[in-house]
Amino acid sequence: MIPFSILDLAFIVQGAKPADALHHARDLAQHAEKWGYNRFWLAEHHNMPGIASAATSVAIGYVAEGTKTIRVGSGGIMLPNHAPMTIAEQFGTLEALYPGRIDLGLGRAPGTDQRTLRALRRDPATADNFPQDVLELQAFLGEVQPGQTLQAVPGGGSNVPLWILGSSLFGAQLAAMLGLPYAFASHFAPDALYQALEVYRERFEASEQLSKPHAMVGANVTVAETDEEARYLFTSAQQQFANLFRGARSQLQPPIDDIESYWSPSEKAQASRMLTCAFVGSPETVKRGLSAFIRETAADEIMVTAPIYDHAKRLRSYELLAEIRDSLAAEAGQQDRATRTA
């Protein structure tokens, strides 16, 4: 069965502080490690009152320090916001401290709005340089060449594995051309999912890092003991999307009994489209949905996010999801054995 991983945004829930969100992120990573998740990624977002992972490399270090075996990384670093050498130094440092456990997922979007981008002292046009910046970053993380005068220290020779993140054909094409693993943001932008996966797989060229395509797909997953409880918990995510359309940036809100009274028909339509790859319900309900999703995408890995207000409920959701993963793996093993003996 394919591995399951976690994308966490260090959600700041209503009434809490960023420190609470970061403590909860590390606690979730510690539990995820115990439950057999493959990776724990944090994402770069700026000027977001509900997200505490803006200083992404710092947050990654905090999580990595509290764990032992799970891979920790970025999902992702928005490379147009940074000089490649700076990111090489940051992730080279992380790799030096936590060897063999650091991933570097890279995105082309700014992770914020234009006004905040100006506050970051970045030119929006720098996104056009993304392919060249990826290559420059890769060179800084690669083996130091004789006579090389410009080095990332730490960083040179660390070979931190790079990932290309995306929600369009551009990222798929670039990941294929460079022979890098590809993570598609279907947890909030699913429209081009199947076309992007097809492009990535058809055009993939083997590289030193990767000999064959590796596609990870994102999903929103909320699991509870019953369908009703899971749908109730999921209203926090639905409110978050409705607020996004309203231009209202807020902390993650508590769940509500009636989401229909919260959003307008147009907000519901937009949110439902963005949340096409959301699996919400009891373990049996989510298992059916995820099984079909994995079969349809032929994904090599699933990256799950869960904007659940109550930390204990969020932990329970991921615990139940780990049980679903193991059940799917057992069924896949039985099918393989049956096929071999047929």
Side-chain angles (χ1 to χ4, degrees):
M1 189 59 194
I2 67 174
F4 281 32
S5 296
I6 293 175
L7 172 64
D8 190 64
L9 303 186
F11 296 108
I12 308 171
V13 303
Q14 185 173 299
K17 298 178 180 179
D20 301 319
L22 292 166
H23 294 329
H24 285 159
R26 184 155 89 162
D27 184 60
L28 173 58
Q30 291 168 338
H31 282 84
E33 184 173 76
K34 178 177 66 176
W35 294 329
Y37 284 89
N38 192 38
R39 310 175 200 276
F40 189 93
W41 282 5
L42 292 137
E44 178 186 351
H45 291 279
H46 299 281
N47 195 25
M48 298 287 189
I51 297 176
S53 55
T56 315
S57 59
V58 178
I60 289 170
Y62 177 67
V63 170
E65 182 64 26
T67 53
K68 297 179 180 178
T69 58
I70 194 169
R71 298 194 65 89
V72 186
S74 61
I77 289 292
M78 301 298 106
L79 194 54
N81 296 345
H82 310 276
M85 185 174 186
T86 299
I87 297 303
E89 291 169 341
Q90 291 176 3
F91 279 77
T93 300
L94 289 167
E95 176 65 23
L97 292 171
Y98 314 105
R101 294 178 53 208
I102 302 300
D103 295 326
L104 177 46
L106 301 168
R108 184 170 64 116
T112 188
D113 57 36
Q114 294 301 312
R115 179 180 298 179
T116 308
L117 192 62
R118 288 193 293 271
L120 292 169
R121 300 296 191 269
R122 307 306 296 169
D123 181 352
T126 57
D128 297 336
N129 301 325
F130 182 66
Q132 292 78 17
D133 287 346
V134 172
L135 290 172
E136 185 177 340
L137 174 59
Q138 191 174 45
F140 276 127
L141 293 170
E143 299 303 323
V144 178
Q145 301 302 310
Q148 181 175 334
T149 58
L150 190 59
Q151 300 179 28
V153 183
S158 63
N159 294 301
V160 175
L162 302 183
W163 289 69
I164 300 297
L165 315 184
S167 58
S168 69
L169 301 187
F170 180 90
Q173 293 167 343
L174 181 62
M177 181 180 70
L178 299 181
L180 296 176
Y182 179 54
F184 191 90
S186 37
H187 59 292
F188 75 91
D191 290 353
L193 170 61
Y194 295 98
Q195 188 178 5
L197 291 176
E198 182 179 3
V199 166
Y200 172 63
R201 289 165 177 152
E202 286 183 352
R203 301 187 184 183
F204 182 83
E205 300 178 18
S207 67
E208 290 185 11
Q209 180 177 326
L210 198 63
S211 60
K212 62 181 181 178
H214 186 96
M216 180 159 61
V217 295
N220 270 280
V221 179
T222 298
V223 196
E225 307 300 335
T226 66
D227 288 346
E228 291 74 18
E229 182 186 2
R231 286 195 293 266
Y232 171 71
L233 296 175
F234 190 59
T235 60
S236 292
Q238 292 170 316
Q239 291 175 80
Q240 186 181 47
F241 275 81
N243 291 340
L244 177 67
F245 305 136
R246 298 171 186 176
R249 301 182 177 190
S250 62
Q251 296 177 326
L252 188 66
Q253 296 174 253
I256 55 177
D257 292 322
D258 183 16
I259 187 62
E260 301 301 332
S261 65
Y262 187 84
W263 56 17
S264 69
S266 63
E267 290 168 347
K268 177 181 180 179
Q270 291 179 81
S272 298
R273 181 182 61 79
M274 294 179 72
L275 291 169
T276 299
C277 300
F279 305 94
V280 180
S282 66
E284 189 57 37
T285 297
V286 171
K287 179 181 175 181
R288 285 197 303 270
L290 277 178
S291 178
F293 184 58
I294 293 168
R295 184 172 60 253
E296 291 164 1
T297 60
D300 299 296
E301 194 165 345
I302 298 291
M303 177 67 78
V304 173
T305 188
I308 297 174
Y309 177 83
D310 183 274
H311 183 58
K313 297 288 187 182
R314 188 157 65 122
L315 290 177
R316 180 58 176 156
S317 178
Y318 279 115
E319 183 179 21
L320 290 171
L321 180 58
E323 295 173 2
I324 292 169
R325 176 204 62 208
D326 293 345
S327 176
L328 289 171
E331 292 177 4
Q334 291 173 356
Q335 292 173 357
D336 287 344
R337 288 190 291 274
T339 300
R340 288 196 298 269
T341 57

